Every structure is written in structure tokens, then in C-alpha cells.
Amino acid sequence: MNNFLRQHKRICPEQIAQQQIEWLRDYSSRNYSYSLQDLLQCEHHDLVINESPVNNWMRKSHIHLKPIIEGRNGFWQICVFRDTKHNYFDFTISVSASGGYRFHPEAIKRDITSKYGSMIYETWRSMILDDLPSLVRLVECIRERITFVAPSISCSESSARLCRRAGIPVSNNVAFLFPSGYA
């Protein structure tokens, strides 16, 4: 992990902090239309892993991210990408929220709380965290299928804690998804 951080000078603490600020601003400004039923009765998926998935939902700003593997289990989704612009792998953990998958915990909290209040947010959060074993299993399955290390800047401290709870190490706000052969 330290070797990766030394080799990739563009991933310095200042740039990571700036990226986290930009993500929070961007994802907090998006509008999502969903009902309380959509939120609290989201679909719980059986374990599915897709290698070389076709991705039709990518924003133009993310076109340089080529999906390598995508998996779902329970309320969780992991996508591993090849970043062709910066020439390395990346991954994202997303959770079922507001009728789709979202990845920024603070933006999700702001959105749910503003629409339905803090009690509903805590109900949703409890439901999601009760399904943490599904994320742990999904991480294990993804690790079994990759042969490379996929680093990813965590979008917040909450995101970093989730990664650690799912068995993904985090160093200097960068999470590292290792192949299963790594100890």
C-alpha cells in the first residue's frame, strides 16, 4: 500500500481531500425521486458476479472507466474498473438507496434526512448495516476473481470504516482491494 502511494504522487493528502470535497458537493446536489417504500423495501439480491459487464449507465465524465467486474449481494454492489486515463484499476462499493445504487454515505444521509427525516434514515441505515455479511461475502467473491490490486480513494471517513468492516484495508484514505492470494 505504501509503495502504491509513493509511486502515485497525484494521490497526495491534499488531492484526496479535494476529491472528497468535490464528490460530496456533486453527489449532494443530485436529485433523486423515490418513495418511502422504494427506500425501505429495496430489493435484496442473491449473489451475482458479472465479468466484463456491459455498462450503459456511465456518465460522460466517467467514460474512461472500463468495467472489469461487477457484483451484487444483498443490498450491496461492487464495481471494479480499469481507469484508462490514469492507467490503474479502481473500485466502488455502492448500496441500495432511493431506488438505485449510490456510493456516498454523507450525500445519502443528507438526501434521505431532508426527504423523510432522521428516524427514517436511521431505520434505513440499520437495515443496510444488518446486511453487512452480504458485503463481506461479496468482497471475498470479487477478490477471488481479480489478479491485480485495485486502489480507490475513500469518499469519507464513513466510507473508510465500511471498507475496513468489509475486510478491505485502508491507508491514508485509499482503500485497497487485493486478490484473494494476498494475506
Side-chain angles (χ1 to χ4, degrees):
M1 292 186 297
N2 289 333
N3 189 35
F4 173 85
L5 296 170
R6 277 192 299 274
Q7 290 176 0
H8 293 83
K9 299 297 182 195
R10 68 174 196 76
I11 301 181
C12 66
E14 296 80 22
Q15 290 172 325
I16 290 172
Q18 185 58 41
Q19 182 67 63
Q20 290 172 327
I21 290 167
E22 288 175 24
W23 278 332
L24 181 58
R25 182 176 32 244
D26 179 20
Y27 287 91
S28 293
S29 69
R30 296 181 185 186
N31 292 318
Y32 297 92
S33 178
Y34 57 94
S35 70
L36 185 56
Q37 183 176 356
D38 290 338
L39 181 68
L40 296 179
Q41 294 180 0
C42 47
E43 189 174 355
H44 193 272
H45 291 276
D46 290 332
L47 178 64
V48 176
I49 306 288
N50 297 308
E51 296 187 33
S52 302
V54 176
N55 195 348
N56 297 326
W57 54 265
M58 189 93 41
R59 293 177 177 267
K60 288 182 182 179
S61 63
H62 291 67
I63 202 72
H64 62 282
L65 298 175
K66 301 296 178 197
I68 303 297
I69 197 165
E70 180 264 338
R72 295 178 186 191
N73 195 29
F75 298 127
W76 303 95
Q77 177 186 53
I78 295 178
C79 294
V80 180
F81 303 95
R82 172 95 174 133
D83 186 325
T84 59
K85 184 176 175 182
H86 298 106
N87 197 30
Y88 65 87
F89 294 96
D90 193 2
F91 75 96
T92 300
I93 297 174
S94 301
V95 66
S96 183
S98 60
Y101 285 97
R102 295 172 59 187
F103 87 98
H104 200 295
E106 281 77 18
I108 295 169
K109 181 178 182 177
R110 286 181 184 185
D111 183 51
I112 294 172
T113 302
S114 71
K115 284 183 173 69
Y116 297 109
S118 60
M119 285 181 51
I120 294 297
Y121 169 75
E122 289 301 327
T123 300
W124 172 84
R125 182 177 179 270
S126 177
M127 177 182 75
I128 295 301
L129 291 179
D130 284 347
D131 191 45
L132 196 58
S134 294
L135 176 59
V136 171
R137 178 71 181 125
L138 181 57
V139 168
E140 291 168 354
C141 290
I142 296 290
R143 290 184 68 209
E144 289 171 1
R145 287 172 171 80
I146 61 174
T147 58
F148 49 82
V149 177
S152 183
I153 296 173
S154 63
C155 60
S156 65
E157 182 53 39
S158 177
S159 179
R161 280 192 309 271
L162 177 69
C163 286
R164 288 183 189 103
R165 289 179 70 185
I168 300 171
V170 179
S171 178
N172 296 324
N173 290 309
V174 179
F176 292 87
L177 187 61
F178 290 107
S180 59
Y182 281 60

